[in-house]
Amino acid sequence: MKKVTLLSLVFCLSASLGLKAQQQVSIDLNTNDAKHVISKHIYGHFAEHLGRCIYDGFWVDPALNVPKKDRIRLDIVDALKKINIPNLRWPGGCFADEYHWRDGIGPRAQRPKMVNTNWGGVVEDNSFGTHEFLELCGLLGAEPYIAGNVGSGTVEEMAKWVEYLNFDGVSPLANLRKENGKAEPWKVSFWGVGNENWGCGGNMTAEFYADQYRRYATYARNYPGAPLKKIAGGANSWDTNWTDVLMKKIPLNEMWGISLHYYTIPTGNWTTKGSSTDFGEAQYFSTLKNGLAMDSLVRAHSAIMDKYDPTKKVALVVDEWGIWTDVIPGTNPGFLYQQNSMRDAVIAGSTLNIFNNHSDRVKVASLAQTVNVLQALILTEKEKMLLTPTYHVFDLFKVHMEAKQIPLKFSSPGYKVGNETVPAINASASIDAKGAVHITLVNVDAKQKISINTALNGLKWSKVTGRIVTSAKFTDHNSFDNPNKITARTFTGAKKSGNQLVAELPPLSVVELELK
């Protein structure tokens, strides 16, 4: 297959259902500029000891009538394997900085109980600990990403956890691991040195945390065959000063990455965030506006990092992101259980397009959270399980994993509500090792379809296939009574016409196209 020298995509947005004057938008993609690999770890996930994510999610009552290995729920495992889950971040979140790993090893009946003070004040029995988490990762085929305790822990505690996990030799910690049933080390690579240390992780200043990071990271050893990717606890949303201080005070060779946390709040108000299913177009729009800000946010922090690291050796790790709404009425406020609508799918696709387009700096991301919490992929109710619209978007986007990102340029038509406007379309593209081109497109407009007339210069291709996630209303969602209302379906709205690609994107749609 020849290299694609230029892909020019022409989008025609109907001004109305009456097909008045159409606005044309060109997207240029040049595969000769495809240099940066889209890391599969951009498609990572987050599982905190919070609500029903671990307990009654991944880790269930032995009496529950579902397929299990030990107490790990296997229908969840199978669903996540289907989307090639690359990594899983654990044990938090805020829980990480009150978690003491020794409480979660050894015979379960002898493990001490604790109170989860961050999330609902429930009793944590520590039955799901280090061995159980790493067994789960093994079943998933996912790399573990462990967040260490800097807030209430000690340097020695973290250092010995690394030794317990990774040392292949004779030592008290390696021997203890063997006594607990694991002869060979796990060789865990991704390691977070604390979490949200500006807040629940210790209410530290950036300067104090930077010094603490250097101290903790010094004793988190690289054992033979197990080099660590140490990730500094980065900024809360727009706090670029935090990023600046860390980049200035921590030598680049002492950290693999620096994290960033950003949640999309529909109302922009943390006190009253808005419902996950009961909202109108104005709140749909405000959610879009807040979610699409991720692009500006990544650019702002990347610009700070570029001052100190112009060759981009340090990764930006967006290890908490997603929509955060008010909880479902009648559920525990500390459990953060919310539904997942077509709005969530649109935000998920848009955010993943943003990460793909910043693949030179963004190397890891973690959606919050995997099961039953916030923008979850999976919801459970006793034996029942459903896949959310967000899950199906991840299923579409997995084609980009480890492919080369194709830079693109375009000017989107606007989606206007009231006096404000956001881009109606966003997109990313990649070329895989076999030469197939994948384009993911999101039409955020709740009313207007987008027609595509695409000229493909220099590309010999014979067919286009596609899949789509869409629904009539932005409030539509999957329920336990109707679990397949929104799924990934074959997209029949694209075809080859001469050497042109023509397609039509419905309103509220996430589309993946493959050209071969």
Side-chain angles (χ1 to χ4, degrees):
M1 179 177 175
K2 291 184 178 179
K3 281 189 174 181
V4 185
T5 57
L6 180 67
L7 294 161
S8 181
L9 279 72
V10 180
F11 287 74
C12 301
L13 176 64
S14 299
S16 69
L17 294 178
L19 296 178
K20 296 178 182 178
Q22 292 182 330
Q23 185 175 0
Q24 293 187 345
V25 180
S26 296
I27 300 183
D28 292 332
L29 301 92
N30 191 334
T31 59
N32 290 327
D33 293 332
K35 299 175 182 177
H36 303 294
V37 172
I38 298 173
S39 169
K40 65 181 180 180
H41 292 293
I42 283 174
Y43 295 89
H45 297 280
F46 175 34
E48 184 171 4
H49 287 239
L50 195 174
R52 295 170 52 239
C53 185
I54 299 296
Y55 299 99
D56 201 29
F58 281 113
W59 189 249
V60 296
D61 190 298
L64 191 69
N65 187 24
V66 294
K68 299 181 291 294
K69 183 174 183 184
D70 192 0
R71 290 171 56 185
I72 295 173
R73 185 167 176 162
L74 293 181
D75 53 356
I76 289 177
V77 169
D78 291 342
L80 294 175
K81 287 173 67 176
K82 184 177 181 293
I83 61 170
N84 301 334
I85 178 173
N87 66 67
L88 188 62
R89 180 172 178 254
W90 173 87
C94 293
F95 183 79
D97 281 287
E98 66 174 349
Y99 181 67
H100 301 282
W101 68 271
R102 285 179 179 268
D103 293 343
I105 61 172
R108 290 174 195 157
Q110 299 176 20
R111 298 180 188 179
K113 294 179 171 60
M114 63 175 286
V115 177
N116 189 333
T117 60
N118 283 288
W119 304 118
V122 296
V123 174
E124 160 72 53
D125 71 0
N126 281 309
S127 61
F128 188 92
T130 296
H131 288 252
E132 291 78 15
F133 170 67
L134 292 167
E135 172 71 8
L136 170 62
C137 289
L139 292 172
L140 291 169
E143 284 197 47
Y145 172 11
I146 290 180
N149 184 344
V150 171
S152 69
T154 66
V155 172
E156 180 185 20
E157 181 181 22
M158 186 180 293
K160 288 189 173 179
W161 200 6
V162 175
E163 181 183 339
Y164 185 88
L165 294 171
N166 288 359
F167 182 51
D168 188 9
V170 177
S171 77
L173 274 299
N175 292 343
L176 180 60
R177 183 190 69 236
K178 294 171 186 177
E179 290 173 12
N180 288 328
K182 187 67 168 66
E184 301 297 325
W186 287 285
K187 298 184 178 180
V188 174
S189 177
F190 289 113
W191 191 268
V193 182
N195 167 79
E196 294 191 358
N197 300 96
W198 38 263
C200 63
N203 287 308
M204 303 176 188
T205 64
E207 290 78 8
F208 182 80
Y209 171 72
D211 289 339
Q212 290 299 300
Y213 173 89
R214 294 181 65 173
R215 182 166 168 252
Y216 276 73
T218 296
Y219 294 95
R221 305 292 190 188
N222 291 320
Y223 291 103
L228 298 185
K229 294 174 180 173
K230 302 172 190 177
I231 298 167
N236 178 19
S237 60
W238 297 98
D239 185 2
T240 53
N241 177 68
W242 186 280
T243 300
D244 188 84
V245 171
L246 267 56
M247 292 297 295
K248 185 188 306 179
K249 295 197 69 174
I250 301 172
L252 299 184
N253 63 358
E254 292 183 10
M255 61 179 171
W256 183 86
I258 182 170
S259 71
L260 172 66
H261 290 182
Y262 179 71
Y263 287 96
T264 297
I265 310 301
T267 63
N269 184 336
W270 279 90
T271 302
T272 306
K273 304 176 191 70
S275 169
S276 58
T277 57
D278 184 14
F279 54 90
E281 189 174 12
Q283 193 167 115
Y284 169 70
F285 182 89
S286 65
T287 308
L288 284 177
K289 181 181 175 183
N290 295 336
L292 293 172
M294 180 67 83
D295 183 68
S296 297
L297 187 65
V298 169
R299 290 180 187 275
H301 288 277
S302 295
I304 298 295
M305 296 173 75
D306 287 347
K307 290 196 307 180
Y308 303 96
D309 177 31
T311 59
K312 302 183 189 297
K313 293 180 180 178
V314 178
L316 184 60
V317 177
V318 190
D319 57 18
E320 289 189 30
W321 68 273
I323 295 180
W324 191 328
T325 72
D326 293 333
V327 302
I328 295 292
T331 63
N332 188 325
F335 282 11
L336 307 187
Y337 180 75
Q338 63 189 51
Q339 250 294 354
N340 193 290
S341 69
M342 188 61 214
R343 176 181 66 176
D344 296 66
V346 168
I347 291 293
S350 301
T351 304
L352 293 174
N353 276 336
I354 290 167
F355 292 158
N356 288 346
N357 290 327
H358 290 285
S359 60
D360 59 336
R361 180 66 82 177
V362 179
K363 300 298 182 182
V364 178
S366 307
L367 176 70
Q369 292 187 13
T370 321
V371 186
N372 291 329
V373 173
L374 298 177
Q375 192 174 350
L377 300 178
I378 294 169
L379 301 178
T380 65
E381 184 180 273
K382 297 183 179 178
E383 288 83 6
K384 296 179 182 179
M385 185 196 81
L386 66 79
L387 307 176
T388 69
T390 295
Y391 172 93
H392 296 297
V393 169
F394 272 80
D395 192 23
L396 260 59
F397 274 69
K398 67 186 180 186
V399 295
H400 290 303
M401 291 183 180
E402 300 301 313
K404 286 188 176 181
Q405 178 233 338
I406 305 172
L408 48 80
K409 296 179 181 178
F410 69 100
S411 178
S412 171
Y415 169 46
K416 184 176 181 180
V417 175
N419 295 320
E420 295 188 284
T421 303
V422 297
I425 60 169
N426 58 79
S428 65
S430 66
I431 183 166
D432 68 18
K434 295 181 180 179
V437 170
H438 294 101
I439 307 167
T440 47
L441 304 135
V442 181
N443 179 10
V444 309
D445 196 307
K447 299 173 182 176
Q448 302 291 349
K449 61 186 177 182
I450 296 178
S451 297
I452 306 171
N453 184 355
T454 310
L456 303 172
N457 298 321
L459 173 64
K460 289 185 177 180
W461 61 291
S462 60
K463 66 176 182 178
V464 56
T465 57
R467 293 193 297 159
I468 185 170
V469 175
T470 190
S471 198
K473 301 176 181 177
F474 38 66
T475 54
D476 285 346
H477 58 275
N478 295 336
S479 67
F480 293 105
D481 293 329
N482 188 4
N484 296 313
K485 183 177 181 65
I486 301 173
T487 64
R489 295 184 169 90
T490 300
F491 180 61
T492 58
K495 64 180 181 179
K496 190 173 189 291
S497 177
N499 198 44
Q500 290 190 329
L501 170 69
V502 294
E504 190 169 88
L505 308 180
L508 297 172
S509 62
V510 182
V511 172
E512 175 262 319
L513 300 176
E514 179 179 80
L515 279 64
K516 287 185 176 180

